Amino acid sequence: MTHWIGILVSVACLLVAQTAMASPAVGPRDAVETAVARFMKIVHNTQPGGAAERTTEIRDIVREMFDFDEISKRALSRHWQSLQTEDQAEFVTLFRDLLERAYLAQVESVGDDQIAFLGESIDAGGSAIVRSKVLTKHGSEIPLHVLNGRWRIYDVVVQGVSFIASYRTQFDRVIRTESYGALRDRLVRKASETTAAQR
């Protein structure tokens, strides 16, 4: 499994939410462990007609757990504030869809991978890090923070490399050398290509 697939598998496994989580009193590690159990149950569902239902379930769960607003702000960094409110909202949707497609494309590669949870650390500001490792693969850290009384993921760090920072570098390069409009057009085109390929 390549480095990026490893990142995406780790992310996919760790994006699943505990929908009944009432408050941050449930620790981030517990939330992530419960998420992995739910995710693996969905992935290994072999019921007839399960593929479309599985995709919908995973997408719904990802949206419950991921803080896409925060991810988008971090990915665009200094460029975020220069956008109009409606452009910010559109970017959140486009980037969310891009990430979801990447995660869903990796679902089948999860197989029987085992994830070990190595610990958690919580700071007084309502943020946390859950450390995990896909056995025989690289370790990862999953930063979470509290939003609306729930732990929400806003990045994944594998071997010290943040996947949001990787996107930030790519997006910044496009915006500086071309424009935000060019970046937006690329995201829209990618979404259209994926939709066409799925038909």
Side-chain angles (χ1 to χ4, degrees):
M1 187 178 290
T2 66
H3 180 68
W4 264 110
I5 291 176
I7 292 174
L8 292 171
V9 167
S10 297
V11 174
C13 288
L14 296 166
L15 290 183
V16 189
Q18 178 183 7
T19 55
M21 191 163 104
S23 73
V26 175
R29 178 175 171 168
D30 291 339
V32 170
E33 286 193 71
T34 300
V36 169
R38 287 186 64 205
F39 176 81
M40 297 308 284
K41 183 177 179 181
I42 293 169
V43 167
H44 293 117
N45 177 15
T46 58
Q47 299 295 321
E53 183 177 329
R54 177 175 62 185
T55 297
T56 300
E57 285 182 42
I58 291 172
R59 180 174 281 119
D60 290 345
I61 291 169
V62 166
R63 290 182 183 185
E64 289 172 12
M65 188 62 178
F66 231 136
D67 184 352
F68 286 106
D69 288 335
E70 185 65 20
I71 288 169
S72 298
K73 289 176 189 175
R74 289 171 180 259
L76 281 184
S77 188
R78 61 193 176 90
H79 303 291
W80 177 260
Q81 293 301 327
S82 65
L83 297 180
Q84 298 294 321
T85 304
E86 57 272 17
D87 292 328
Q88 291 175 345
E90 180 188 38
F91 179 80
V92 170
T93 300
L94 290 170
F95 193 33
R96 180 198 67 203
D97 291 346
L98 172 72
L99 295 175
E100 285 178 355
R101 288 190 304 274
Y103 304 146
L104 290 169
Q106 297 303 320
V107 166
E108 298 303 327
S109 68
V110 173
D112 294 321
D113 287 341
Q114 299 294 312
I115 297 180
F117 294 94
L118 309 176
E120 69 178 24
S121 57
I122 305 172
D123 69 27
S127 296
I129 298 287
V130 175
R131 289 174 299 283
S132 67
K133 183 175 184 177
V134 179
L135 298 184
T136 76
K137 297 182 177 68
H138 305 295
S140 61
E141 293 185 348
I142 301 91
L144 303 93
H145 65 179
V146 177
L147 178 67
N148 299 327
R150 298 179 52 145
W151 289 107
R152 303 290 292 271
I153 295 170
Y154 62 87
D155 199 357
V156 171
V157 179
V158 178
Q159 289 191 309
V161 178
S162 156
F163 92 108
I164 289 299
S166 297
Y167 276 112
R168 183 185 306 126
T169 300
Q170 296 171 46
F171 292 168
D172 181 62
R173 185 181 312 117
V174 172
I175 293 170
R176 283 188 298 103
T177 59
E178 299 177 54
S179 66
Y180 170 75
L183 174 63
R184 177 200 172 277
D185 291 346
R186 289 183 188 190
L187 293 174
V188 169
R189 186 165 54 250
K190 184 67 175 171
S192 298
E193 289 170 357
T194 302
T195 301
Q198 290 172 343
R199 288 177 181 162

